Amino acid sequence: MALLLCSTIGRMLGVIFSLLLAALSQCSAYDCSAHPWIDETVKHWFRASYETARNSDKTIEESLEAIANIQWGKYYTGKSMGILTYDDSVGAYHVTFKELHRHNEPHKPAGMQRVIERAIMQHNADLVRALGKKELKFIFGTEDFPIVDTWLNLRLPSFQMCHSPETADVPVPDFTWELYSQAQYTNNSWWEVRRLLLLKSAMLPWKLRERDLFMRGDAGVGYRKVLMPFMHEVQVRGNECRSRKVSGSLSIDRGGFQGLEAAGPDQLGIHGRRRKREEYFQ
Ligand SMILES: *[C@@H]1O[C@H](CO)[C@@H](O)[C@H](O)[C@H]1NC(C)=O
């Protein structure tokens, strides 16, 4: 969705770039006046992170280490570190990436790295002005949930594709689509994918669209593990099962969510510590 809201790739690179710079305490060297909305967006999404940074008694290195060690159940969430270093021989910044914990699909970090590399190339002069040749490290993750709880009071956020009121992660657009192997793009440039989206969209007028939900993907994980049998039952028995309580309990360790409980087709109540977080799953 974030992708569709943006009309040019240049602006998106600007957002990524601004997000990187905002990770510094001073970003005065960067002039955001060309796209004033970027400035506001960055301020908005960094609010929680600035707050935790003010309350933090950890160093930057300790905070990076704490983020690297964040787990979901017994698994480390997929994440990589980007390291920006100034190369004196070339007179420019370049970025290297280090995988901290395996991402669940290889195309995910690859897609994110590619857009970061492009942003750094395009905005190198601004980076040099803003960072003064200092090294900059940041961590990005590719899970579909935020990971840095505000109570950890870290000095830094992680860059995730999601955010919730209880977390200090800074949401960044999902750029993993470019290298999404199942799509088999022969030309995966932004402009070509945009053209495809508009073309396909125009092929089906709104009045002909179905209201039914559909889902693609694995029914054996997370929410879906409980929802799919439940939806099937609703489909087969219709209103008959409206009053019946359906409940299930999934363990995070088994790849699901703890204490997921469905109380009827109209009310799906999700309990437990991660409740708020789940609400941000789309
Ligand atoms: C990919 O698509 C874009 C936009 O449609 C086009 O400008 C570009 O030349 C294409 N690239 C290749 C390698 O075909």
Side-chain angles (χ1 to χ4, degrees):
M1 199 52 184
L3 282 172
L4 297 177
L5 292 174
C6 302
S7 57
T8 71
I9 194 85
R11 283 190 194 179
M12 289 316 298
L13 293 178
V15 173
I16 301 269
F17 172 72
S18 316
L19 289 170
L20 282 177
L21 282 190
L24 304 162
S25 50
Q26 290 292 325
C27 107
S28 51
Y30 179 56
D31 174 15
C32 304
S33 59
H35 301 296
W37 64 272
I38 292 181
D39 220 8
E40 288 310 306
T41 307
V42 168
K43 267 188 223 150
H44 175 82
W45 291 116
F46 267 88
R47 207 166 288 154
S49 160
Y50 281 144
E51 177 132 5
T52 62
R54 272 194 297 274
N55 297 330
S56 186
D57 55 9
K58 295 191 174 61
T59 64
I60 285 174
E61 284 298 327
E62 283 166 351
S63 300
L64 286 169
E65 198 183 326
I67 296 171
N69 289 328
I70 289 173
Q71 287 172 270
W72 187 57
K74 64 179 178 186
Y75 302 102
Y76 289 97
T77 62
K79 43 182 123 61
S80 293
M81 180 182 281
I83 305 162
L84 276 174
T85 42
Y86 184 76
D87 183 345
D88 266 315
S89 66
V90 189
Y93 268 99
H94 76 113
V95 63
T96 50
F97 295 100
K98 190 167 108 186
E99 188 177 83
L100 301 173
H101 293 288
R102 200 175 65 82
H103 299 256
N104 64 0
E105 296 280 354
H107 75 270
K108 292 185 178 177
M112 297 306 280
Q113 286 167 205
R114 211 194 235 210
V115 73
I116 294 168
E117 279 162 359
R118 285 204 301 253
I120 286 161
M121 224 188 292
Q122 185 162 329
H123 296 285
N124 220 294
D126 283 319
L127 272 176
V128 176
R129 263 197 301 281
L131 296 177
K133 306 185 184 178
K134 279 200 295 278
E135 185 185 73
L136 176 77
K137 290 178 182 167
F138 61 96
I139 294 177
F140 73 88
T142 54
E143 303 291 347
D144 48 6
F145 50 87
I147 61 168
V148 179
D149 288 306
T150 47
W151 56 262
L152 290 170
N153 281 335
L154 301 184
R155 283 279 286 278
L156 301 168
S158 92
F159 297 95
Q160 289 282 135
M161 293 159 195
C162 314
H163 175 86
S164 88
E166 294 140 335
T167 55
D169 302 83
V170 173
V172 292
D174 180 348
F175 262 91
T176 61
W177 56 273
E178 270 194 58
L179 299 174
Y180 186 50
S181 54
Q182 281 166 292
Q184 299 181 8
Y185 295 122
T186 49
N187 178 343
N188 64 359
S189 75
W190 161 258
W191 293 107
E192 185 59 14
V193 173
R194 179 179 183 274
R195 193 187 64 77
L196 273 176
L197 284 173
L198 293 174
L199 180 76
K200 290 286 177 185
S201 173
M203 286 164 86
L204 193 64
W206 281 104
K207 65 174 189 291
L208 295 183
R209 296 185 193 203
E210 299 281 345
R211 295 188 64 84
D212 293 348
L213 273 175
F214 74 93
M215 185 205 78
R216 66 175 291 285
D218 184 353
V221 295
Y223 269 166
R224 302 173 204 155
K225 212 147 112 183
V226 166
L227 280 177
M228 293 314 286
F230 178 64
M231 296 295 217
H232 180 71
E233 198 173 344
V234 172
Q235 191 177 37
V236 172
R237 295 167 32 150
N239 283 346
E240 236 182 280
C241 67
R242 266 182 177 263
S243 57
R244 204 174 73 78
K245 283 229 172 204
V246 180
S247 66
S249 178
L250 297 172
S251 138
I252 287 178
D253 295 345
R254 281 188 284 121
F257 308 124
Q258 212 152 26
L260 188 114
E261 186 184 324
D266 302 324
Q267 314 156 264
L268 288 171
I270 290 123
H271 304 289
R273 187 180 160 269
R274 295 193 175 249
R275 180 184 170 165
K276 279 277 169 47
R277 211 167 268 201
E278 305 309 295
E279 284 166 8
Y280 284 80
F281 278 37
Q282 299 291 325

